[in-house]
Amino acid sequence: MNKSQSTQIWTANTNLPDAAESHTLPEILSQTGGWQAALDRVQAEQSALKTLFTGGQFSEIVVTGCGSTYYLSLVVAPLLQQQLGIPARAVPASELLLFSQTILTSRGKTLLVTISRSGRTTETIRAARAFKANRKGSILNIGCYEDTELAAESDLSIIIREGQEQSVVQTRSFSAMLVAATAICAVLGKSQTLEAMKKMPALGQQIISTTQKLARQLGQDLNQEFGFERFYFLGSGSRYGLACEANLKMKEMSLSVSEAFHFLEFRHGPMSMVNDHTLVVGLLSETARSYELEVLQEMKALGGRTMVLTNQSVPEKSADYQVCFNSGLPEASQGVLYLPFLQMLSYYRAEANGQNPDQPHNLNAVVVLGAET
Ligand code: F1P
């Protein structure tokens, strides 16, 4: 594919052979099983969720996690506020643990939503314990493992075992927990989208099978055709959390230079980094689509190559490449559809960089700290 080629909407149905025996790629390719399990789990817990939420009379919601699950919190908090009409914010568990007075108000009760694949991350456990000891409200936990220290602190746990994975990097777990959180928003917000969400696993599988080739092409940057050296992920609203997660995947798996920004923020300085070895990946919204497309057109004019992930296709002048969902889902439920391509992009970049995405440089699956000082 040469530089002059315009926007590609990839529909080719290709299941590329797994180039290297790894956990990460099979986990990415099989993730929609976890989506279905998440929907089933939330469906089964609807009454417990409604009892917890209505019983609590919460004046605010705080969503927390660490690393990937903090970024997942950044996706979920805007959805909760939008659908439930009460203030909701996302904070890293370390901030909630160490600076709770800057986060929790003394007025009213707080619903704390903890998100943790393992349920064993020390900061998240300690933050939940302190929240509980200070009788600040109730705790709703979302994770992938039963009977954990975090679950023991929680009033209700939504656990998706099918999200469990061998790889250190979160892929299948992240998307399963996001589907669960999105479904919880629908249940508590009394919207009808839970029924509409039932088509998500099939949609996700279709996205995976039709975009794997593009992800490999761009990720591996075959023959240095594009010579990508920098990756920027842009997202507005709840998609900013997805941009942060995509950035983390690119870093964790491939050790590439990458950053995430709110879409329009990119103009305010960071775009100085754009050159013809840059890929700017826009996670397009429906709400701010026209503003976001303008940013991408400007980045193309600066020499960057651009790619959009979008629910409706975009004009060719706005992007060199696009992945189009055509989901028929409301914007608030589309978040998980962005993930498979972004995960595959980082996986293939890692392969090209000779990195082992199963066991990223310097990282462990769970951060367990020593005794409290
Ligand atoms: C969170 C965590 C992240 C890290 C990586 C592995 O663990 O350790 O900090 O970025 O994604 O997971 P958990 O609390 O979700 O189990």
Side-chain angles (χ1 to χ4, degrees), residues 38 81 136 258 292 295 358 370:
Q81 178 159 326
K136 288 291 185 181
S258 71
E292 295 161 349
V295 172
D358 290 0

Side-chain angles (χ1 to χ4, degrees), residues 259-277:
E259 282 187 272
F261 294 97
H262 288 90
F263 228 110
L264 276 62
E265 273 297 293
F266 194 52
R267 282 198 188 96
H268 298 274
M271 75 175 189
S272 59
M273 293 293 288
V274 174
N275 62 18
D276 55 8
H277 295 290

